């Protein structure tokens, strides 16, 4: 749906939210002449920051509830990706023939720019950001959006049609785009598949099916990048018309095109045999998982046509992404890392393995119906574990007690967990790291993982502001 078609239409935005798509959708539609109703189950107090951004625009609010008439009487409903398609309000709208859109479906229908789409269970934010960072070396106007809290509707009106776009895409966002014919990226990327969001999906097959939306509609002249080391991706190359390329921590088999690691060096081979070029020579980011993220980004940049020496320099300077193993404070010999985006136990394991001991780990939060057994392999690596309260924490406690690993908590308040971690870090010795890597989702105690990460940083800064 183009901006011209929005003028005069009755648009219901379902889920204003605290950042990203809902707010951007309401702003975009109101500015283009639509009659906008925003409906959200949260209160005006909770949504005050978002509502302030809409001040002065002709927007009607229905808060703390949904009214069916706002859906059945609309011309267009724009849903937040967090709202499941099974919502009875969306079903009622569909029965009346009302178009159901998202911020991404509107954007993709309008923008015909060169598109690089990045998905995966983990690593997609860092990979997408590194790709965009590298592309700015050849086009400073390169834009990054999607699941990283920046809705592409925020830059649609000012977009040059030649500007490359990098979109980080969640399974929910991709599921909403199924069979719409709006997404066919020039380059698709799948980082790694891990069990996630199984509170929303019936099982891994359904979760992966949404991920596949990114590459199944690609054309033959497009390119698809897959993780050769990921068993979940074994059959992916057969399900796309695009040309497949692979990245791996080990040498690629003869004949495969893609990228691989030789210790800290990343090499790319685009022609299947010989002629490899170095795109990675070390980075500022800790951890083997980040070397894989940057290797993947380097391959994509080469596929886009960026020279190897430019890629190598850009990836060496890439500063990383907020909330992803972000070292933000050093105080009295203690290093503090914000890894709030670690919402599954496998991500926490990667973070632990990326840092030098001693490590004091703060983890815990809300369960997503996932198995915490993968954490068992690394449970003895931290020198101390401090737990935040939550339904996921109950599973972690049971695992730690089974393994005979001591812990402190769980604490129902972030400040108490930080104080306990600082005390433990002082006892652990010089160079200790306090790692906030929850391994769980954040709902209940926090609005989302970004709010959680920011509050952790604020709490640490307050706790370490004195002598």
């Amino acid at each position: 749906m183009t901006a011209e078609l929005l003028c005069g239409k009755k648009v219901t935005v379902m889920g204003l939210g605290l950042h990203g798509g809902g707010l951007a959708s309401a702003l975009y539609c109101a500015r283009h002449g639509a009659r906008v109703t925003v409906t959200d189950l949260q209160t005006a107090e909770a949504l005050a920051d978002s509502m302030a951004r809409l001040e002065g625009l002709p927007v009607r609010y229905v808060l703390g509830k949904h009214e069916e008439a706002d859906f059945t009487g609309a011309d267009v409903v724009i849903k937040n990706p967090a709202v499941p398609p099974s919502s009875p309000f969306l079903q009622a709208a569909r029965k009346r023939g009302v178009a159901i859109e998202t911020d991404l479906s509107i954007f993709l229908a309008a923008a015909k720019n060169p598109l690089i789409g990045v998905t995966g269970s983990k690593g997609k934010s860092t990979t997408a950001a590194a790709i965009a960072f590298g592309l700015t070396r050849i086009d400073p106007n390169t834009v990054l959006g999607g699941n990283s809290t920046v809705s592409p509707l925020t830059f649609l009106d000012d977009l040059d049609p030649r500007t490359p776009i990098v979109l980080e895409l969640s399974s929910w966002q991709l599921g909403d785009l199924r069979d719409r014919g709006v997404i066919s990226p020039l380059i698709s990327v799948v980082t790694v598949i891990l069990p996630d969001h199984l509170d929303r999906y019936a099982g891994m097959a359904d979760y992966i099916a949404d991920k596949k939306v990114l590459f199944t509609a690609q054309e033959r002249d497009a390119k698809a990048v897959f993780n050769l080391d990921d068993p979940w991706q074994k059959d992916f190359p057969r399900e796309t018309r695009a040309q497949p390329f692979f990245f791996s921590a080990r040498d690629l088999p003869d004949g495969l095109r893609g990228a691989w690691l030789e210790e800290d060096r990343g090499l790319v081979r685009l022609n299947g045999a010989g002629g490899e070029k170095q795109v990675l020579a070390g980075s500022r980011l800790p951890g083997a998982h980040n070397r894989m993220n940057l290797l993947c980004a380097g391959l994509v940049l080469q596929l886009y046509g960026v020279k190897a020496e430019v890629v190598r320099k850009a990836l060496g300077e890439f500063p990383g992404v907020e909330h992803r193993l972000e070292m933000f404070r050093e105080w009295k010999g203690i290093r503090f890392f914000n890894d709030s985006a670690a919402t599954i136990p496998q991500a926490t394991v990667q973070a632990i393995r990326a840092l030098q001991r001693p490590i004091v780990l703060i983890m815990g939060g809300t369960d997503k119906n996932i198995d915490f057994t993968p954490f068992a392999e690394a449970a003895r690596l931290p020198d101390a574990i401090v737990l935040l309260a939550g339904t996921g924490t109950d599973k972690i406690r049971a695992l730690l007690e089974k393994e005979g690993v001591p812990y402190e908590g769980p604490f129902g308040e972030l400040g108490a967990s930080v104080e306990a971690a600082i005390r433990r870090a002082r006892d652990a010795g010089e160079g200790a790291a306090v790692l906030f890597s929850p391994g769980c989702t954040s709902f209940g105690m926090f609005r989302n993982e970004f709010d959680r990460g920011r509050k952790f940083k604020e709490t640490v800064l307050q706790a370490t502001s004195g002598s």
Side-chain angles (χ1 to χ4, degrees):
M1 174 170 287
T2 63
E4 293 78 12
L5 292 177
L6 284 170
C7 187
K9 296 290 186 181
K10 293 171 66 177
V11 175
T12 294
V13 176
M14 184 184 194
L16 179 62
L18 306 166
H19 61 78
L23 174 59
S25 297
L27 282 167
Y28 183 80
C29 293
R31 287 168 177 169
H32 287 282
R35 292 177 286 164
V36 177
T37 294
V38 166
T39 177
D40 198 301
L41 295 178
Q42 298 196 72
T43 65
E45 181 180 4
L47 297 169
D49 291 346
S50 294
M51 292 174 67
R53 297 277 306 278
L54 294 167
E55 190 173 351
L57 292 172
V59 176
R60 169 178 168 262
Y61 293 98
V62 178
L63 303 179
K65 62 181 179 177
H66 293 314
E67 298 285 356
E68 186 172 305
D70 293 324
F71 296 85
T72 57
D75 297 306
V76 181
V77 172
I78 303 177
K79 69 177 284 292
N80 188 297
V83 178
S86 59
S87 161
F89 298 99
L90 296 179
Q91 290 179 345
R94 288 190 194 96
K95 286 181 181 178
R96 290 292 184 94
V98 177
I100 310 295
E101 302 284 351
T102 65
D103 65 325
L104 276 169
S105 67
I106 293 172
F107 173 81
L108 291 168
K112 303 305 178 186
N113 297 60
L115 173 64
I116 297 171
V118 182
T119 194
S121 303
K122 285 297 162 189
K124 58 184 180 291
S125 295
T126 299
T127 302
I131 293 167
F133 188 80
L135 286 175
T136 59
R137 302 302 172 93
I138 62 169
D139 188 336
N141 296 316
T142 298
V143 288
L144 170 67
N147 191 55
S148 57
T149 77
V150 178
S151 169
L153 288 183
T154 61
F155 50 72
L156 177 56
D157 286 337
D158 301 319
L159 196 59
D160 185 309
R162 297 165 297 182
T163 296
I165 300 168
V166 183
L167 291 182
E168 177 197 338
L169 299 164
S170 71
S171 58
W172 297 352
Q173 289 172 316
L174 288 167
D176 286 334
L177 298 175
R178 185 187 307 280
D179 300 325
R180 289 180 175 270
V182 294
I183 185 160
S184 181
L186 180 68
I187 304 173
S188 69
V189 181
V190 185
T191 56
V192 65
I193 301 294
L194 297 164
D196 199 1
H197 298 301
L198 296 184
D199 55 339
R200 166 90 170 242
Y201 291 97
M204 283 296 290
D206 290 344
Y207 171 59
I208 291 171
D210 278 355
K211 295 291 189 186
K212 291 179 180 179
V213 170
L214 179 63
F215 57 82
T216 51
Q218 283 182 280
E219 301 298 336
R220 294 187 185 279
D221 59 347
K223 299 174 176 65
V225 173
F226 301 115
N227 185 339
L228 189 65
D229 303 339
D230 181 2
W232 291 108
Q233 298 188 42
K234 180 180 177 182
D235 296 326
F236 285 8
R238 291 195 285 270
E239 300 182 57
T240 181
R241 294 188 298 271
Q243 304 167 46
F245 292 80
F246 303 89
F247 66 102
S248 173
R250 300 178 294 276
D251 288 353
L252 290 183
D254 290 343
L256 284 190
R257 300 179 296 176
W260 69 97
L261 289 174
E262 288 185 357
E263 296 182 351
D264 288 342
R265 298 170 67 239
L267 302 174
V268 165
R269 181 177 67 216
L270 299 185
N271 58 8
E276 61 264 15
K277 296 180 179 179
Q278 185 178 353
V279 295
L280 187 62
S283 79
R284 296 166 59 178
L285 309 186
H289 64 298
N290 274 324
R291 284 194 293 277
M292 285 290 281
N293 293 334
L294 295 180
L295 176 72
C296 178
L299 172 56
V300 173
L301 290 166
Q302 277 271 276
L303 290 172
Y304 196 83
V306 184
K307 293 181 179 179
E309 57 268 27
V310 176
V311 175
R312 193 163 58 245
K313 189 172 188 299
L315 296 182
E317 296 172 353
F318 177 61
V321 181
E322 188 181 21
H323 311 302
R324 279 90 179 168
L325 207 53
E326 169 198 10
M327 195 186 96
F328 65 95
R329 176 74 161 149
E330 187 165 0
W331 176 78
K332 294 187 176 181
I334 303 172
R335 298 164 296 141
F336 293 86
F337 290 85
N338 167 30
D339 196 41
S340 181
T343 58
I344 59 175
Q346 291 91 335
T348 299
V349 172
Q350 289 179 333
I352 293 168
R353 295 191 182 281
L355 300 181
Q356 291 184 337
R357 295 178 65 182
I359 298 170
V360 178
L361 172 66
I362 305 175
M363 73 178 303
T366 308
D367 184 25
K368 292 190 287 183
N369 193 31
I370 57 177
D371 181 13
F372 283 87
T373 303
F375 178 65
E377 66 176 275
R380 296 183 183 278
L381 294 180
D383 296 79
I385 296 177
V386 176
L387 297 179
L388 272 177
T391 54
T393 309
D394 296 338
K395 289 185 175 181
I396 296 169
R397 288 177 68 187
L399 183 150
L400 293 175
E401 288 166 4
K402 180 181 177 181
E403 296 292 325
V405 176
Y407 60 86
E408 188 168 348
F411 295 98
E413 192 267 324
L414 186 59
S417 68
V418 168
E419 289 174 6
I422 291 174
R423 185 172 64 252
R424 293 283 190 165
R426 284 173 164 168
D427 293 340
E430 187 177 351
V434 171
L435 170 62
F436 183 55
S437 188
C440 303
T441 193
S442 56
F443 302 113
M445 197 179 295
F446 308 97
R447 295 174 176 177
N448 49 54
E449 66 264 38
F450 311 114
D451 174 60
R452 176 171 66 183
R454 284 189 288 268
K455 283 187 167 56
F456 172 69
K457 292 195 289 185
E458 291 168 2
T459 303
V460 167
L461 292 174
Q462 290 171 1
T464 61
S465 60
S467 58

